[in-house]
């Protein structure tokens, strides 16, 4: 695998098994609800890496932790998507599992039941500064911030990247987990990050502001570049306290919104690596997000697809 013109992308984050259950309408409490169920590879970090590598011959690497139960399968799926897997096999914990409940009506919104498993144990002991050899960008999954080992890993990776002049991006990952972690704690942990990619809900939660544009502007006083994802409405780019661009969403016929934000992030980072300006990279992110919602699961069409 050869590196692209901008060098390699290293993603550090979660690798999990998704069990996607697509149903129509409300769940029937206390009895059966008909659903279409599939087992698919997932994890926010892994999904970002796969979408970054999708359709490109660049060097995308993924550092993650999995259980022995599914390590070989996940490695095969990542390789098939063009990702170089750097997986630590955990002898004590199984691979994380996420149950994705997808209501097939309208916008195909989803609800997650998450058992992060081995991903929660990714920590400083799994890091080596040599992981940054040949790397032009480092991306950290926000799920790292929701476990003690992950929170210890983030400043280690940030310091190593800063020492080498490697810019770092982070996706907050989960408004629900963010609420548990606390806004002040999150903002302290991400100090030194160059690019933040929150969803609308995450941006509003992190600032306490109800309007996404105001939230993006405020966040960009703390992080140099903020790309706020707005789902079907597209995304906005904010720098130095100002929203400087709004990018419309690409048309799509939604089937499953699982991984749409990861698709956006992966395509956005791939475009930056290829030399695009943030606004142009945001357009690429919106296109990938639209493609993702038309598919079941969080990955692009690769692997055993």
């Amino acid at each position: 695998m050869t590196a692209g013109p901008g060098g390699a992308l290293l993603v550090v984050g979660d690798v999990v098994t998704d069990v996607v259950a697509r149903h129509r309408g409300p769940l029937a409490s206390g009895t059966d609800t008909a659903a279409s169920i599939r087992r698919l590879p997932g994890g926010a970090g892994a999904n970002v890496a796969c979408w970054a590598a999708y359709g490109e011959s660049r060097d995308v690497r993924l550092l993650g932790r999995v259980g022995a139960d599914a390590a070989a399968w996940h490695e095969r799926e990542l390789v098939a998507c063009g990702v170089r897997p750097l997986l630590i096999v955990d002898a004590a914990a199984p691979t994380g599992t996420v149950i994705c409940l997808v209501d097939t009506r309208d916008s195909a919104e989803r609800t997650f039941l998450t058992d992060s498993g081995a991903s929660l144990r990714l920590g400083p002991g799994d890091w080596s500064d040599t992981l940054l050899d040949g790397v032009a960008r480092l991306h950290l999954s926000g799920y790292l911030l929701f476990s003690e080992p992950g929170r210890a890993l983030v400043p280690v990776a940030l310091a190593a990247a800063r020492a080498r002049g490697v810019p770092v991006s982070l996706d907050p990952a989960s408004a629900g987990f963010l609420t548990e972690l606390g806004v002040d704690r999150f903002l302290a942990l991400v100090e030194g990050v160059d690019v933040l990619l929150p969803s609308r809900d995450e941006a509003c939660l992190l600032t306490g502001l109800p309007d996404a544009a105001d939230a993006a502007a405020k966040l960009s006083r703390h992080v140099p570049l903020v790309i706020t994802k707005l789902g079907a409405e597209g995304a906005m780019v904010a720098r130095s306290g100002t929203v400087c661009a709004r990018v419309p969403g690409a048309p799509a016929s939604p089937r499953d919104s699982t991984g749409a934000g990861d698709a956006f992030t992966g395509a956005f980072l791939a475009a930056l690596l290829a030399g695009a300006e943030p606004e142009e990279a945001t357009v690429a992110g919106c296109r990938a997000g639209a493609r993702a919602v038309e598919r079941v699961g969080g990955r692009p069409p690769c692997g055993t697809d």
Side-chain angles (χ1 to χ4, degrees), residues 168-263:
V168 182
S169 54
L170 185 139
D171 188 325
S174 167
F177 285 161
L178 266 180
T179 301
E180 294 179 23
L181 178 67
V183 169
D184 291 342
R185 196 175 184 192
F186 175 87
L187 292 174
L189 285 165
V190 302
E191 187 173 349
V193 165
D194 301 279
V195 184
L196 191 68
L197 297 118
S199 68
R200 181 203 311 267
D201 289 348
E202 292 156 0
C204 292
L205 175 62
L206 287 170
T207 59
L209 298 173
D211 181 76
D214 292 341
K218 184 175 180 179
L219 280 174
S220 70
R221 299 187 188 104
H222 299 279
V223 178
L225 178 62
V226 175
I227 311 295
T228 302
K229 296 173 281 190
L230 306 174
E233 295 174 31
M236 60 181 70
V237 181
R239 295 188 191 89
S240 305
T242 302
V243 173
C244 51
R246 296 172 185 261
V247 176
S253 300
R255 294 182 66 203
D256 175 11
S257 58
T258 303
D262 302 332

Side-chain angles (χ1 to χ4, degrees), residues 156-169:
V156 172
L158 274 170
R162 191 177 301 115
R164 294 196 183 203
V166 174
V168 182
S169 54

Side-chain angles (χ1 to χ4, degrees), residues 11-297:
V11 179
V12 181
D14 45 319
V15 183
V16 304
T17 300
D18 285 342
V19 179
V20 181
R22 301 177 72 244
H23 60 95
R24 185 168 184 82
L27 296 174
S29 178
T31 186
D32 296 309
T33 298
S36 171
I37 300 174
R38 293 178 64 186
R39 173 178 175 265
L40 298 166
N47 293 344
V48 167
C50 288
W51 282 98
Y54 176 55
E56 303 287 347
S57 60
R58 67 175 43 83
D59 184 347
V60 180
R61 310 167 191 179
L62 173 70
L63 175 65
R65 184 174 273 266
V66 295
D69 57 312
W73 177 60
H74 277 291
E75 182 160 337
R76 285 196 304 270
E77 291 290 332
L78 289 165
V79 168
C81 277
V83 175
R84 184 188 302 181
L86 307 169
L87 300 182
I88 295 99
V89 179
D90 195 309
T95 303
T97 300
V98 175
I99 308 297
C100 310
L101 304 176
V102 182
D103 188 338
T104 59
R105 299 173 304 174
D106 302 328
S107 60
E109 275 304 321
R110 76 275 191 247
T111 301
F112 295 147
L113 301 173
T114 301
D115 177 354
S116 296
S119 288
L120 288 175
R121 294 158 59 88
L122 188 66
D126 300 318
W127 178 264
S128 166
D129 289 358
T130 60
L131 289 166
L132 292 174
D133 291 350
V135 168
R137 285 192 168 271
L138 170 64
H139 178 73
L140 304 175
S141 168
Y143 282 104
L144 291 168
L145 301 177
F146 307 133
S147 72
E148 289 295 341
R151 284 192 290 272
L153 171 57
V154 166
V156 172
L158 274 170
R162 191 177 301 115
R164 294 196 183 203
V166 174
V168 182
S169 54
L170 185 139
D171 188 325
S174 167
F177 285 161
L178 266 180
T179 301
E180 294 179 23
L181 178 67
V183 169
D184 291 342
R185 196 175 184 192
F186 175 87
L187 292 174
L189 285 165
V190 302
E191 187 173 349
V193 165
D194 301 279
V195 184
L196 191 68
L197 297 118
S199 68
R200 181 203 311 267
D201 289 348
E202 292 156 0
C204 292
L205 175 62
L206 287 170
T207 59
L209 298 173
D211 181 76
D214 292 341
K218 184 175 180 179
L219 280 174
S220 70
R221 299 187 188 104
H222 299 279
V223 178
L225 178 62
V226 175
I227 311 295
T228 302
K229 296 173 281 190
L230 306 174
E233 295 174 31
M236 60 181 70
V237 181
R239 295 188 191 89
S240 305
T242 302
V243 173
C244 51
R246 296 172 185 261
V247 176
S253 300
R255 294 182 66 203
D256 175 11
S257 58
T258 303
D262 302 332
F264 180 104
T265 296
F268 173 85
L269 294 173
L272 286 186
L273 277 170
E277 292 297 320
E279 291 80 3
E280 184 184 354
T282 300
V283 173
C286 288
R287 286 198 299 261
R291 178 148 197 186
V293 300
E294 295 184 326
R295 300 177 49 75
V296 175

